[in-house]
Amino acid sequence: MAKSANQIFNDQDSLLTVGPFMGLDTTTAPFYVAPNNAVAQQNVAINRQYGVYSTAQGRIANVMSSAIAQPVIGVGVTSYITTVSTLYYYPGLYVLVGTVGGSVTAYYAGVGSIPAVITNWAVTNHVANFSVNLYESKFVFAQSYVFVDCPIVKPQMIVGTQISFGTNAINWGIVGPTGTVGTAATGSGALNGYYSYAVTFVNTSFTPPLESSPNAFPALVYAVGQNIAISAIPVSSDTQVTARNIYRIGGTIGGTPLLVHTIADNTTTSYTDTLADSSVVGQQLILRQDPAPANGWCSIAYHKGRMWGLGSNPNGIRFTGSDLWYSNYLQYTSFNSVTQVLDCGSDFNDLPVALASLDSVLVILKQASIWLCYGDTQNDFITRRTFSVGCMSKGSVASGYGKVFWLGTDGIYYFDGANSPVNISDGNIPSGSVRTLLNQVYTAVGNNFSSPNVCTAGFIINRTYYLSFYSLSSTFAAFTLGYDLDIGAWTYLPYGTNAVGVCRNSFENGAGTQFVFGTQLAFGASTSTSGQVDQWFGAETDKGSSIVSSWTSNVSDSGMTSITKQYRYIEVVAPTQAQTLNVTLYVNPGPNQTTYGPYAVALNSGAPRNRISLPPGAVGYECMLYISATTSTQTIINKVSVLGYVKRVASPPPLMG
């Protein structure tokens, strides 16, 4: 028997339920939910806790003057590595901040420490003169080295907070000596046979030391029970050179050059070799240890034990070439400019943009195409053009969890190294959609993301890809988009950054044997205060202020389009917490909608369910919920429901007789 139109009862139907949020099952892994299941979300952590609405973490302002709470680390580790001088590997993050046309400062932060200025950046003038180009720069980590990936300024190398370069700071590696040394047999000694010698320049500040290519081997000199005097040993004009290695071929050693002596200065020009062949146990010479191109690359990446550079800059003005260089194995500053350079096309309408490593394959992103580099060694490295999808901004590129993300000309993409690139620009956010926001940015900057009027910062943390937009000329307001990798959903943050660093959760001490595991940290340059570095996602605050988080449900007709409903109660299911939730019900949403609320629901009462009674006039065909919270602490809501019943005529009584 149908319920009477005027019948009030306690077991109301659920006419609209929001939650588990984003369709997340509270007992299983998350799954994808169509965008129309959530019309809008702002400052909401869509996948931070399965099955619940949860306010997003924001930013903590000016972390340089206030300590960062030390992250929780793994069981069994009793202390943090905080003394910079004891670290061999400096992981985590470097952040660049500054103003366009002015000076740019680099900050470093590690485990349990706040960002500190890199005080002895040896190329301050270069940084200041080309500060515009730092806004899309990134830091690349390769074992004990940190490399600054910055066009025009050229790639820089850092060990800890030290940049141990002098006049050759704008170029990786060391230019090798020219000419030949002089050799002559002399005195009585242990050498017997024909010998020749070559010299390399060395910088011993690094581990292992940096070394140049050798000069040419001169004609063989013959010795019979003698020593060999070496003269005219070259001296380098590069102030980073602190030593020179002497290599020898001949005698019973044969044609493999081996180290026989290291001169621990850059001044001595003569040496007498007295070492018998049987006593030569030094390292083998690497014949080609060329420096990087003099004008650098447009992008660098660490991939399969080598440093890779894309797009050399022969004229010092524009990165026109799409050549792909790779270093010697585990020699991150030493290259072979003859045999270790690959081709990625030479189209002036398809210039190089960025590199990204997916472990198994190197992704080369250009303005109008994607190239891939396959292989594992110099014997099988090969490049192939694979897709006609371009990249607009190097700063947008970020790799993580088996995917590389970037901003293209028609949206935001990801690529997993095997399947076709996927455009993930569909998705609803408060201002309409991801595509709408992107189109607004494209229009504001004239589709020119290489101009100084816009910068992007892409990074991945906590299984979410974040892409931050910021106009250096205030053409548009800063904002950040977040894409949850688990459920494929977008969220929107009304603030941005022009430079960001992420401190990963694995750290190594000087001995290389102890690893410390802690919470990932993200730091970004402030878009409002020059020189300020903000910690992101540290608390539910926006630079010290409370975050306003909100969620708008889809419109529901309870599956009965033409039948009116009596909306009786709003029920909020949430754990006890010191927080107030504001709930608004829209009946017959649209131009003539009726609004009920907002109702303030105190979640500190201790009751798991909180019920709001609606007035008798809350009658309509469809409804929509809006929930919000203003908070500086985490707010969690499991479910919000609209309860009531369907208004329809009661069934006639059965015939009697």
Side-chain angles (χ1 to χ4, degrees):
M1 179 176 176
K3 298 167 183 174
S4 169
N6 297 316
Q7 183 178 357
I8 303 299
F9 52 93
N10 294 323
D11 56 340
Q12 292 84 12
D13 296 324
S14 178
L15 301 180
L16 171 61
T17 297
V18 183
F21 286 86
M22 287 306 297
L24 294 178
D25 189 323
T26 56
T27 59
T28 62
F31 56 89
Y32 175 76
V33 176
N36 61 4
N37 282 15
V39 176
Q41 56 264 355
Q42 178 176 341
N43 286 333
V44 175
I46 52 181
N47 193 34
R48 183 172 164 189
Q49 295 199 14
Y50 293 165
V52 299
Y53 164 107
S54 176
T55 51
Q57 295 174 313
R59 297 176 296 173
I60 299 176
N62 197 12
V63 298
M64 294 173 298
S65 60
S66 59
I68 300 171
Q70 292 184 332
V72 178
I73 58 177
V75 177
V77 181
T78 58
S79 62
Y80 294 97
I81 300 175
T82 56
T83 306
V84 173
S85 61
T86 64
L87 286 172
Y88 172 73
Y89 174 36
Y90 295 82
L93 63 101
Y94 288 77
V95 175
L96 297 165
V97 300
T99 58
V100 179
S103 62
V104 174
T105 305
Y107 292 87
Y108 164 78
V111 180
S113 64
I114 63 176
V117 179
I118 298 178
T119 57
N120 55 342
W121 193 296
V123 288
T124 304
N125 291 334
H126 291 285
V127 174
N129 293 340
F130 300 103
S131 61
V132 170
N133 300 281
L134 285 175
Y135 285 103
E136 283 205 335
S137 65
K138 294 181 180 292
F139 291 90
V140 180
F141 299 91
Q143 293 192 358
S144 59
Y145 301 146
V146 180
F147 298 89
V148 184
D149 179 9
C150 181
I152 298 183
V153 182
K154 290 90 179 177
Q156 305 295 322
M157 184 169 63
I158 306 170
V159 175
T161 58
Q162 307 293 318
I163 295 184
S164 300
F165 280 137
T167 58
N168 202 34
I170 63 172
N171 193 18
W172 288 0
I174 305 172
V175 176
T178 59
T180 59
V181 299
T183 55
T186 182
S188 177
L191 278 72
N192 292 278
Y194 290 91
Y195 297 93
S196 185
Y197 296 83
V199 176
T200 63
F201 295 145
V202 182
N203 182 345
T204 57
S205 300
F206 297 94
T207 305
L210 306 185
E211 192 170 8
S212 73
S213 297
N215 58 347
F217 282 89
L220 295 170
V221 60
Y222 185 63
V224 180
Q226 295 174 289
N227 300 318
I228 294 181
I230 306 170
S231 60
I233 297 174
V235 174
S236 176
S237 60
D238 189 341
T239 57
Q240 70 170 306
V241 175
T242 56
R244 287 158 297 162
N245 285 338
I246 299 176
Y247 290 87
R248 181 171 101 188
I249 59 174
T252 59
I253 295 174
T256 301
L258 297 179
L259 178 66
V260 292
H261 182 67
T262 296
I263 301 176
D265 60 49
N266 189 31
T267 56
T268 301
T269 58
S270 62
Y271 171 74
T272 299
D273 180 18
T274 62
L275 198 62
D277 291 346
S278 59
S279 299
V280 177
V281 294
Q283 65 194 25
Q284 182 176 330
L285 171 67
I286 299 175
L287 289 176
R288 295 201 68 93
Q289 297 194 86
D290 301 330
N295 292 310
W297 297 293
C298 72
S299 184
I300 60 175
Y302 175 65
H303 178 68
K304 293 190 174 179
R306 304 172 189 264
M307 289 302 301
W308 297 69
L310 172 65
S312 60
N313 185 6
N315 54 19
I317 300 174
R318 190 182 186 195
F319 295 94
T320 55
S322 289
D323 44 349
L324 179 65
W325 293 51
Y326 60 92
S327 73
N328 298 326
Y329 184 66
L330 298 182
Q331 297 285 330
Y332 310 121
T333 64
S334 299
F335 299 84
N336 186 326
S337 60
V338 177
T339 63
Q340 293 176 191
V341 180
L342 305 172
D343 178 62
C344 293
S346 299
D347 186 348
F348 282 92
N349 295 315
D350 188 16
L351 298 180
V353 178
L355 290 174
S357 174
L358 286 180
D359 294 329
S360 62
V361 64
L362 182 68
V363 182
I364 301 101
L365 296 166
K366 301 179 66 178
Q367 289 180 334
S369 65
I370 295 176
W371 290 62
L372 300 179
C373 180
Y374 301 98
D376 298 303
T377 68
Q378 183 179 351
N379 297 326
D380 59 3
F381 285 137
I382 188 171
T383 58
R384 288 286 184 268
R385 176 174 173 143
T386 53
F387 303 104
S388 296
V389 177
C391 177
M392 289 191 71
S393 170
K394 184 177 80 170
S396 68
V397 179
S399 299
Y401 302 100
K403 296 181 176 66
V404 56
F405 295 79
W406 72 93
L407 176 66
T409 56
D410 59 343
I412 302 171
Y413 283 86
Y414 79 73
F415 175 55
D416 62 7
N419 302 294
S420 298
V422 178
N423 192 318
I424 55 175
S425 302
D426 293 319
N428 297 322
I429 52 178
S431 60
S433 72
V434 173
R435 289 186 182 275
T436 299
L437 272 180
L438 294 179
N439 289 336
Q440 291 173 353
V441 174
Y442 293 155
T443 302
V445 300
N447 290 318
N448 182 15
F449 269 66
S450 63
S451 75
N453 293 327
V454 64
C455 63
T456 61
F459 59 100
I460 295 176
I461 188 170
N462 293 335
R463 300 194 65 83
T464 301
Y465 166 67
Y466 291 96
L467 180 57
S468 189
F469 293 85
Y470 177 63
S471 173
L472 303 179
S473 60
S474 301
T475 308
F476 56 88
F479 66 92
T480 300
L481 298 172
Y483 181 78
D484 189 291
L485 277 62
D486 284 331
I487 60 178
W490 286 98
T491 190
Y492 171 89
L493 302 174
Y495 44 82
T497 181
N498 56 37
V500 69
V502 176
C503 193
R504 301 300 178 189
N505 60 355
S506 178
F507 307 90
E508 180 182 355
N509 69 2
T513 57
Q514 180 185 20
F515 290 88
V516 180
F517 299 94
T519 303
Q520 295 186 44
L521 304 175
F523 293 87
S526 174
T527 56
S528 59
T529 305
S530 177
Q532 176 174 295
V533 180
D534 300 329
Q535 182 185 358
W536 285 46
F537 315 117
E540 278 75 10
T541 62
D542 179 11
K543 298 180 69 176
S545 302
S546 298
I547 282 180
V548 178
S549 61
S550 62
W551 194 289
T552 304
S553 77
N554 59 314
V555 177
S556 172
D557 58 16
S558 308
M560 293 166 280
T561 308
S562 60
I563 302 177
T564 59
K565 297 91 182 173
Q566 175 74 59
Y567 301 108
R568 252 339 248 118
Y569 299 99
I570 298 175
E571 187 175 79
V572 177
V573 180
T576 301
Q577 56 200 293
Q579 190 54 256
T580 298
L581 183 70
N582 297 304
V583 183
T584 302
L585 176 68
Y586 300 102
V587 175
N588 295 333
N592 299 315
Q593 69 186 13
T594 304
T595 302
Y596 297 93
Y599 300 103
V601 181
L603 303 179
N604 61 355
S605 64
R609 294 176 182 269
N610 298 269
R611 182 168 289 191
I612 303 166
S613 181
L614 297 170
V619 177
Y621 293 98
E622 56 188 10
C623 66
M624 180 172 68
L625 274 172
Y626 175 81
I627 60 178
S628 67
T630 301
T631 179
S632 58
T633 59
Q634 184 181 6
T635 304
I636 301 173
I637 303 97
N638 297 96
K639 185 170 67 174
V640 181
S641 299
V642 179
L643 305 179
Y645 57 90
V646 177
K647 293 177 66 70
R648 51 183 177 254
V649 178
S651 302
L655 295 175
M656 305 298 292

